Amino acid sequence: MSLLRTKTVEQSIRDTEEPEHSLRKELSALDLTVFGVGVIIGTGIFVLTGVAAATHAGPAIALSFVVAGLVCGLAALCYAEFASTVPVAGSAYTFSYASLGELIAWIIGWDLMLELALGGAVVSRGWSQYLVSLLDIFGLKLPASIAGEQSVIDIPAVLIVLALTAVLILGIKLSSRVNMVVVSIKVTVVLFVILAGLFYVKASNYSPFVPPAQPSASTDLNPTLWQTLTGLVPSTFGVGGIFAGASVVFFAYIGFDIVATAAEETRHPQRDLPIGIFGSLFVCTALYVTVSLVVVGMQNYTRLNTGSPLSDAFKAVGLNWAATIIAIGALAGLTTVMMILMLGQSRVFFAMARDGLLPISLARVHPRFGTPARITAITGLAVAFLAAVVPLTELAKLVNIGTLFAFVLVSLGVIVLRRTRPDLPRAFRMPAVPLLPIIAALACLWLMLNLEIDTWVRFVVWLAIGFVVYFGYGRRNARLGLRLEQDYARALERTAEDITADRPRGS
């Protein structure tokens, strides 16, 4: 049962007050909302729209965004309750430690590496592709061996990751200000895409809105887990294509949960965290659906460029100058996505190290900058390495399954904590518990089933490695376990003293 030992909410909050492990409270509700918008708007609009429309959903890609948004909305309700109840760094990891136990918390923390560190690497590769596209407009060409998807080592991706790592180390307030400026640029560009693109939409491009399902013409298409379990032949488009597209563009919504990782650095977390989570999710869903409708209306989905769909849609109607603006907006958009994904990853690692599941020396906060500088630097170097050598497509799929798995466990954790700690003050309470959390968990599980079987295999291998690390290091060094052992030893000493005191003289 020691594997399922839970860390009380009260103990989690006391740990945040340790001087060497205490983060500065600098963020407001507006900062959190902009953080959420900063990380959500990026790859989904500027890259994945073309991939999902051309290979899965066609014009119905807008419905894929709606489905993914609804699933995220259900998960967001769970996150909002947890974040306002346990305002501590670590997000889903911390929530699980308080409700489901240490082993589950470790699994989620290990799993979040797929969402955050790998997500940062995915986005940096996309950033590099847009940089190549932008420079090409101005007649500057980078060698294919050092930049873009076909590069041997993606140098621009590495450099941008290292630069953002430095910003994160220098302080949360500086990071927030940089994010505010860059988010303003990319939201302006997204609104430009919508308004300018409306004049070039053709109704014929929406027909058929849901292309009929057809067997895949590609021999390279891997079946999803659902197709494998049911024996269905791999296919594209149709209603199934909408759900498959939702599983792909789900990566675009990664971000609202990262707002929860900044709970410990928020001035009024009980009030501001739910605002930041729901505000950013609502704004981004509306923008995603609108942009996807405009893009597939401008260019037939069969001709969408899967690498830079927005730019190419405007080039197709002769607006090359607009493509330049979009490329600049994409660079800005992907920059903030990378920064906030790495921010989230460093805060999860920080929480795990402070709990002793990773070396506790990594959890020391820089005395001047007030940030976990050591662990931020390690995160940045790891993301830079992955960005340099790992293909973008395979990374994106692995990120999706990791995020969905975390959402499933957080949804179940809400039910458990309601039963085990009904006395806890909750600034935000998820309605219809346990019904809505169960629906949220099932919806996330359904999207997981629509991911390819190869992705599941890699995910299982990753979890197996995590178990080895936990039983080899984390379980023996967890501060919660050491505290329980010390309490047990003190209880034995007191019992022995009481027995001695009660013995008759000379016995």
Side-chain angles (χ1 to χ4, degrees):
M1 293 303 294
S2 63
L3 297 177
L4 300 179
R5 57 197 177 197
T6 57
K7 183 180 180 182
T8 65
V9 174
E10 292 80 3
Q11 182 62 58
S12 293
I13 294 174
R14 282 196 297 271
D15 286 348
T16 67
E17 299 168 355
E18 298 173 346
E20 70 274 22
H21 300 143
S22 180
L23 300 173
R24 293 178 184 172
K25 297 184 180 296
E26 301 275 8
L27 302 177
S28 65
L30 177 61
D31 292 325
L32 293 173
T33 302
V34 177
F35 266 137
V37 174
V39 71
I40 298 174
I41 293 183
T43 306
I45 281 184
F46 295 111
V47 178
L48 292 183
T49 302
V51 175
T55 61
H56 292 291
I61 180 61
L63 297 181
S64 296
F65 276 114
V66 171
V67 171
L70 290 174
V71 173
C72 287
L74 291 171
L77 291 170
C78 302
Y79 271 86
E81 174 165 330
F82 261 130
S84 62
T85 306
V86 193
V88 177
S91 185
Y93 159 77
T94 300
F95 306 156
S96 298
Y97 215 160
S99 57
L100 300 174
E102 183 175 285
L103 179 60
I104 304 299
W106 167 266
I107 291 172
I108 285 195
W110 187 255
D111 170 67
L112 285 175
M113 295 184 198
L114 297 180
E115 175 187 353
L116 304 174
L118 289 187
V122 170
V123 176
S124 67
R125 295 297 294 261
W127 187 93
S128 178
Q129 290 183 44
Y130 264 99
L131 178 66
V132 170
S133 176
L134 180 63
L135 293 178
D136 187 54
I137 293 172
F138 294 105
L140 301 173
K141 289 187 178 294
L142 293 177
S145 60
I146 66 166
E149 180 64 11
Q150 304 302 320
S151 61
V152 178
I153 297 179
D154 199 325
I155 300 299
V158 171
L159 293 179
I160 187 62
V161 167
L162 295 179
L164 293 175
T165 300
V167 172
L168 291 172
I169 290 175
L170 292 175
I172 189 66
K173 196 61 181 177
L174 174 62
S175 303
S176 176
R177 288 171 180 168
V178 170
N179 183 63
M180 187 80 72
V181 172
V182 182
V183 166
S184 299
I185 295 172
K186 71 176 177 181
V187 170
T188 301
V189 171
V190 170
L191 293 176
F192 164 78
V193 168
I194 295 171
L195 295 175
L198 282 174
F199 294 98
Y200 298 91
V201 168
K202 296 180 179 178
S204 59
N205 287 332
Y206 292 123
S207 181
F209 188 73
V210 181
Q214 57 189 33
S216 173
S218 172
T219 57
D220 296 329
L221 186 67
N222 293 316
T224 67
L225 180 61
W226 179 250
Q227 291 168 340
T228 302
L229 293 175
T230 58
L232 295 175
V233 177
S235 61
T236 57
F237 306 115
V239 174
I242 295 174
F243 289 105
S247 297
V248 172
V249 302
F250 185 83
F251 178 82
Y253 284 95
I254 293 174
F256 76 84
D257 56 320
I258 297 176
V259 172
T261 68
E264 199 171 318
E265 295 160 279
T266 304
R267 298 191 193 103
H268 306 289
Q270 286 79 9
R271 180 197 68 189
D272 294 345
L273 282 165
I275 293 175
I277 291 172
F278 291 121
S280 57
L281 187 60
F282 175 79
V283 169
C284 295
T285 300
L287 291 176
Y288 276 154
V289 171
T290 307
V291 167
S292 63
L293 286 172
V294 168
V295 170
V296 297
M298 292 177 65
Q299 189 174 26
N300 190 276
Y301 71 94
T302 59
R303 296 196 298 272
L304 276 177
N305 179 293
T306 57
S308 50
L310 270 65
S311 296
D312 284 4
F314 277 85
K315 288 179 182 178
V317 296
L319 299 180
N320 290 332
W321 59 270
T324 304
I325 294 176
I326 292 169
I328 294 172
L331 283 175
L334 299 178
T335 298
T336 59
V337 175
M338 280 184 285
M339 184 176 72
I340 300 168
L341 285 172
M342 289 193 293
L343 170 71
Q345 177 65 85
S346 64
R347 289 340 184 237
V348 172
F349 273 3
F350 170 76
M352 295 174 73
R354 187 167 58 188
D355 289 335
L357 296 178
L358 295 173
I360 197 168
S361 60
L362 298 178
R364 291 192 178 278
V365 172
H366 195 283
R368 179 180 176 186
F369 304 130
T371 58
R374 295 179 183 178
I375 216 156
T376 301
I378 292 172
T379 298
L381 292 173
V383 172
F385 171 77
L386 291 170
V389 300
V390 183
L392 181 149
T393 305
E394 298 307 318
L395 282 178
K397 296 173 185 176
L398 205 53
V399 171
N400 285 352
I401 194 169
T403 307
L404 286 164
F405 183 65
F407 285 4
V408 169
L409 294 181
V410 168
S411 300
L412 298 178
V414 167
I415 301 173
V416 173
L417 198 63
R418 281 283 189 97
R419 292 182 178 276
T420 58
R421 292 297 306 274
D423 57 305
L424 284 175
R426 292 168 169 83
F428 176 87
R429 296 178 68 88
M430 183 176 186
V433 175
L435 178 61
L436 277 185
I438 291 174
I439 293 175
L442 292 175
C444 293
L445 183 60
W446 171 248
L447 289 185
M448 290 176 71
L449 291 174
N450 281 277
L451 288 169
E452 294 173 357
I453 191 68
D454 287 356
T455 303
W456 276 88
V457 172
R458 295 187 185 102
F459 179 60
V460 171
V461 170
W462 177 254
L463 290 183
I465 296 172
F467 280 117
V468 172
V469 176
Y470 173 72
F471 287 104
Y473 180 88
R475 185 166 180 252
R476 292 186 288 108
N477 293 277
R479 293 179 70 188
L480 177 60
L482 296 176
R483 285 178 182 140
L484 293 174
E485 290 176 4
Q486 291 170 357
D487 291 344
Y488 182 68
R490 283 194 292 266
L492 288 178
E493 290 176 2
R494 286 195 297 268
T495 301
E497 290 171 359
D498 292 342
I499 291 173
T500 302
D502 291 340
R503 283 177 180 170
R505 291 178 181 269
S507 61

